[in-house]
Amino acid sequence: MFKKIIAFAMAVLLALMAAGCYARPNSRGYVFLTPGQRAFNETVDAFFQAVDERDKEAVRELFAPYALEEMAMDFEEEIERLFAFYPGPTQNCERDAFEAYSTGSSDHGVKSRYYGQTFAVACGGITYYCDIYLAARNDKEPDAVGIWKVSLVSEKAICSEGFQFPSEPGVYVVEDAPGDYDTRRIAGYPEVFVPVDRHLTEKEIVDFLEEDASFSHFRERFGEPNSETSRYSRYAYELEEKEGEKRYAILAVRNREEGGKESEAYEKGTVWRVAVHNETEIGWLYVLWGEEKWEGG
């Protein structure tokens, strides 16, 4: 029965993640954390502290007793693999950029609350990606409180085709993936990156698009993008570094036809915005060309 409850909670949580639900800041930009969110952050901090200190018992104590019972793996062996993969100490944990997604329920005052999040974490100048799911509260099943699963993977692994984080309880380490390809973090996300020998400037981009906003013509002129993503049909072109920081021009391209009087301006294959991003910031640094908001959808 408990596994069915966990499975249902995770399914709801994944649906919330897909919908982009997160803790929203108030008018002054501050994010109010619930007790459950604070408990989530404290657990994540404690987990990486235990990993940095190579304290297997401390890691074990953070897991829910039910999760430890249900694991189909040798917990000790997987912890050793994690220690070998992630040398520590943790330099940066970027979960604040992606607020924890949550789901929960209340039955006549008997409450439960589950949290999950995927975020970047760095040590030794290398970026890894952690996916963690835990119960911060479960009044009905106290042994369910704690970490259910945690995965730590390389950038190459998370960028591999069809990659999915495991859903079963345990500790998972994914170091490599098939294929020979480069990766980069672009606008906070890990992406497959194709090196291209060119030196593209912001002025060249603006001058071209002022005359012709066709993305196919842009590709003919400047070549293939360094990275492309299915998120809103975005294409990244590497710019010259600025003060030692990698920069990217991300072209947002219209990927469907739109009716109405604006359809000519927004026909399929049209670039409607170019924004400049760095590696880690989720939002753009500034809009280089086009619209900050797109009213077409």
Side-chain angles (χ1 to χ4, degrees):
M1 178 65 180
F2 175 71
K3 290 187 73 174
K4 290 183 179 179
I5 294 173
I6 284 288
F8 174 76
M10 290 185 68
V12 175
L13 181 61
L14 290 171
L16 287 171
M17 292 174 71
C21 301
Y22 55 91
R24 297 183 184 278
N26 66 7
S27 60
R28 294 188 178 184
Y30 298 113
V31 175
F32 292 110
L33 298 181
T34 66
Q37 289 172 320
R38 287 196 295 271
F40 174 86
N41 284 336
E42 289 168 1
T43 300
V44 173
D45 287 339
F47 174 79
F48 279 100
Q49 180 178 346
V51 171
D52 288 346
E53 295 174 355
R54 298 303 190 251
D55 190 338
K56 286 191 286 188
E57 190 56 37
V59 174
R60 178 186 288 275
E61 289 176 358
L62 292 170
F63 276 78
Y66 274 159
L68 293 170
E69 290 177 9
E70 295 290 339
M71 287 181 190
M73 60 176 57
D74 186 313
F75 185 80
E76 295 287 327
E77 287 185 7
E78 293 307 312
I79 291 298
E80 289 293 345
R81 284 190 63 209
L82 187 147
F83 288 171
F85 174 61
Y86 185 83
T90 301
Q91 297 169 313
N92 194 24
C93 185
E94 296 184 15
R95 65 183 181 276
D96 291 340
F98 306 87
E99 290 301 324
Y101 301 97
S102 66
T103 183
S105 63
S106 179
D107 183 12
H108 298 89
V110 179
K111 297 181 179 180
S112 63
R113 179 62 63 179
Y114 302 91
Y115 291 88
Q117 190 174 31
T118 302
F119 53 87
V121 61
C123 74
I126 299 174
T127 300
Y128 304 80
Y129 295 87
C130 178
D131 179 73
I132 190 167
Y133 179 86
L134 61 86
R137 178 176 180 175
N138 191 317
D139 295 345
K140 189 174 182 180
E141 300 282 359
D143 281 350
V145 175
I147 296 174
W148 178 254
K149 69 177 183 72
V150 60
S151 303
L152 198 63
V153 307
S154 67
E155 192 162 89
K156 183 179 180 183
I158 199 173
C159 288
S160 62
E161 186 175 357
F163 176 83
Q164 290 185 333
F165 286 106
S167 59
E168 295 299 314
V171 178
Y172 300 91
V173 173
V174 185
E175 301 182 39
D176 202 1
D180 182 15
Y181 53 90
D182 294 331
T183 63
R184 289 269 186 96
R185 285 191 76 197
I186 301 176
Y189 292 94
E191 305 282 6
V192 174
F193 183 85
V194 179
V196 178
D197 184 15
R198 66 173 164 233
H199 298 280
L200 183 60
T201 68
E202 295 181 8
K203 184 177 185 305
E204 286 178 305
I205 293 173
V206 171
D207 287 349
F208 184 89
L209 292 175
E210 286 294 324
E211 299 295 329
D212 184 353
S214 165
F215 181 57
S216 63
H217 295 166
F218 187 92
R219 288 174 93 146
E220 290 173 5
R221 170 64 180 83
F222 298 108
E224 294 299 311
N226 296 102
S227 179
E228 58 183 281
T229 171
S230 60
R231 288 189 298 273
Y232 316 115
S233 297
R234 304 187 320 159
Y235 302 85
Y237 283 78
E238 186 175 21
L239 298 169
E240 293 183 348
E241 292 188 10
K242 188 173 183 180
E243 298 178 351
E245 182 181 58
K246 288 183 171 59
R247 297 287 183 101
Y248 304 91
I250 295 184
L251 281 63
V253 178
R254 178 77 168 172
N255 62 3
R256 59 187 175 87
E257 301 288 355
E258 187 74 18
K261 64 180 181 180
E262 300 295 330
S263 61
E264 185 174 336
Y266 288 118
E267 65 184 8
K268 186 174 181 181
T270 299
V271 179
W272 57 272
R273 184 183 66 215
V274 181
V276 175
H277 297 253
N278 63 11
E279 292 183 288
T280 58
E281 299 292 329
I282 302 301
W284 57 63
L285 301 178
Y286 49 89
V287 173
L288 179 64
W289 181 88
E291 303 181 29
E292 291 196 12
K293 293 184 178 180
W294 178 34
E295 298 178 355

